[in-house]
Amino acid sequence: MPELPRFADLPLRNGHPCAWDVWPTPDHFGSLNLQTPERVVEAAKLVTRGAVFALNWEMELPSPPLFGRQPFRHEIRGPEGALWADDVLHDWNTQSSSQWDGFRHVRNHDSGFYGGLPGYEHGVHHWARRGIAGRAVVADVGRWRASIGRPLIYDAPDPIDGTEVIATLAAQDVEIQEGDVLLLRTGWIGWYESLTLEQRTAFAGQARPATPGLRPGAEMAEFLWDLHIAAVAADNPMVEVMSPGSLLPPEQRAAIRNDPSRMHEVFTHTWFLPMLGLPLGEMWNLDHGASVFFNLVDDAEVTTASRPHSLHLTHKQLSRKLRIVRQHSQHQRDCESRKRTNNHDRNRFRSAPAPPGSTCRPNGSRMPDALWRGRRVLTSGVSV
């Protein structure tokens, strides 16, 4: 594979850096092209034990859904007393929980969708049919920030700079390689799961909900592109800090609203996806405690965004200075405590019984594993 250009060397299209000519056209994969067969083979060699974990969050979380999205309903269909039953999801928004943002999800105001293709020619179904597999690296920014006495504030637009991602990886003694999937753990999911139902409802009802995330702007686009990663995902709702423009005074936000060509300054999705072809993953569960692992993803075949069905294998390989950074026992106890609290809350707010002949529960309720058999198969994963 030829050497990739640096961000500063990318050509401009309508004043925006453009990576459309990096790969043969027409292209539906962008930076995922970096997951070559040779790199997948090398990543697979990292596996030594093969214990299982998944990076998908529960489908029913957040609950209530964010951004005014509607909750889905899960229905079990089948005759009373029959030996079979079917699962049916009603009003399921694939962006309501763990997800990939596809190239049809966001366009650039001046240049359109990635590669100059019309939106209908894009979609994560291309990725699903190809598959996503390779080396993944977790940068536990939440733990690193806490270790230096500056913990992330989970209900505020607390920005994360590229220098902090590099410092996090250095503290973990992990090096990022070309073609890796970079996973950013902030700890937001653990914070969310610690909230009461009333607090979750209030958070979802905000016109401009606030969360920590990457600082938007040209510097962040340059930082991520020059890492030459295949994709980036995080455990927060937007990868970037939320809400867009929250780091700027009102007059600057107003100026950007009046000049859509500057939208990347507050919402760099408009560069990441359509201009650079960098896939984004959001609300991934990264509390498994591994820093480097082999990552397999099987996506649902939808167009704009999809829920990643992930298979993950971690490793121990000291010869490459790739070291698993284990969570401390106290952190593990905290995670277990949050899980118990979350389960308790779900049981308290369980919905009323469904009509006769079906089992139908709204988003946010706790559903027996037996009712989720199809989903459990798809989202099972593997760790050390």
Side-chain angles (χ1 to χ4, degrees), residues 248-313:
L248 300 177
E251 59 272 15
Q252 284 187 254
R253 291 202 300 268
I256 292 172
R257 280 197 300 271
N258 293 328
D259 184 2
S261 67
R262 297 178 57 195
M263 184 59 65
H264 64 277
E265 297 177 28
V266 296
F267 185 54
T268 317
H269 276 51
T270 58
W271 274 12
F272 292 146
L273 293 165
M275 303 309 297
L276 302 180
L278 180 65
L280 304 174
E282 297 162 344
M283 289 188 284
W284 287 33
N285 185 357
L286 303 177
D287 286 338
H288 46 74
S291 287
V292 187
F293 51 88
F294 181 56
N295 175 30
L296 299 174
V297 181
D298 171 27
D299 293 305
E301 288 202 22
V302 292
T303 56
T304 300
S306 80
R307 179 170 178 80
H309 306 305
S310 303
L311 182 70
H312 308 279
L313 300 86

Side-chain angles (χ1 to χ4, degrees), residues 52-54 56-58 61 189-195 200 285 287-288 331-347 366 369 376:
V52 177
F53 66 87
N56 296 328
W57 201 12
E58 284 99 329
L61 294 176
I189 279 182
W191 170 82
Y192 179 88
E193 290 184 345
S194 73
L195 300 179
R200 296 179 186 184
N285 185 357
D287 286 338
H288 46 74
H331 176 67
Q332 293 171 338
R333 288 194 294 270
D334 291 344
C335 289
E336 292 167 359
S337 175
R338 285 198 302 269
K339 185 178 294 184
R340 288 194 297 270
T341 300
N342 197 40
N343 289 343
H344 173 69
D345 287 345
R346 288 187 208 145
N347 285 325
R366 179 165 175 77
D369 283 350
R376 295 298 184 190

Side-chain angles (χ1 to χ4, degrees), residues 58-63 72 346 363-365 367 372 375:
E58 284 99 329
M59 288 174 64
E60 64 269 24
L61 294 176
S63 177
F72 72 85
R346 288 187 208 145
N363 184 6
S365 63
M367 297 175 236
W372 287 94
R375 174 189 169 233

